[in-house]
Amino acid sequence: MNNNLLQQIEKYKIVPVVKVERAGDTGRLCEALSTGGLPVAEITFRTPAAREAISAAVKEFPQMIVGAGTIVNVEQAKMAVDAGAQFLVSPGISHKVIEYALNQNIMIFPGACTPTEVMRIMEYGLSVAKFFPAQQYGGLSTIKALSAPFSDIRFMPTGGISAANVKEYLAFPKIAACGGSWMVRPELIAQGRYDEIRRLTEEAVSLVGE
């Protein structure tokens, strides 16, 4: 795993989870995140525009850390890597996706919510697991319980993370970073409210920096 890249993600503490419906929105969205103080984005493969959006983000904002989320098969993983994604995030465990990422020397955060899933991730030598959907699977209390027997694993909780609870999550040392979409809600992007995205991003950066 690329420790330098992981350290950068840890420094920012929040990974904006982005759903891009129109690739043409990518530039202004990335500009809002960057000027707001969060030059990092997980662009999810939940829309047909994902690959083009990742490519645009990488080319137009080379200073940003751009990853691909909701990777559920190797085909998506290949598209993401070909587009320039620097890391991959999966909602669960796909052994083929993990093995592809490791063979390509691409950082990957597979999803894990149970002890069995954590152990499967550990078998690959990975040290950070996505915990999704965080709130529905017991949130921080479950992460703390899992951390007891698995002291070498850290988590990136996503799902239900907001300005109201992100600091509580980040206060636990086994949290590497939190994935969140509250500053990049789909309706804000659809309505072109990039000033609001920037404001919410600045607010989030200030919040976790306190």
Side-chain angles (χ1 to χ4, degrees), residues 67-85:
T70 322
I71 299 295
V72 299
N73 56 52
V74 173
E75 290 71 27
Q76 289 177 335
K78 288 179 178 178
M79 283 194 288
V81 172
D82 288 346

Side-chain angles (χ1 to χ4, degrees), residues 124-208:
Y124 286 101
L126 300 175
S127 61
V128 180
K130 174 175 179 170
F131 186 77
F132 172 84
Q135 288 295 93
Q136 290 84 347
Y137 272 92
L140 186 57
S141 62
T142 299
I143 292 174
K144 287 181 176 179
L146 287 171
S147 296
F150 303 120
S151 58
D152 293 334
I153 288 286
R154 289 181 298 156
F155 296 89
M156 185 165 68
T158 307
I161 308 299
S162 68
N165 60 18
V166 66
K167 284 188 70 174
E168 182 182 5
Y169 274 95
L170 289 170
F172 185 56
K174 295 299 182 181
I175 304 294
C178 287
S181 59
W182 76 91
M183 76 292 292
V184 286
R185 296 193 306 273
E187 64 269 23
L188 294 178
I189 300 172
Q191 296 165 9
R193 297 171 61 190
Y194 298 105
D195 286 345
E196 178 66 2
I197 291 173
R198 178 185 51 76
R199 186 192 70 78
L200 289 170
T201 301
E202 290 175 344
E203 186 180 78
V205 170
S206 177
L207 180 67
V208 302

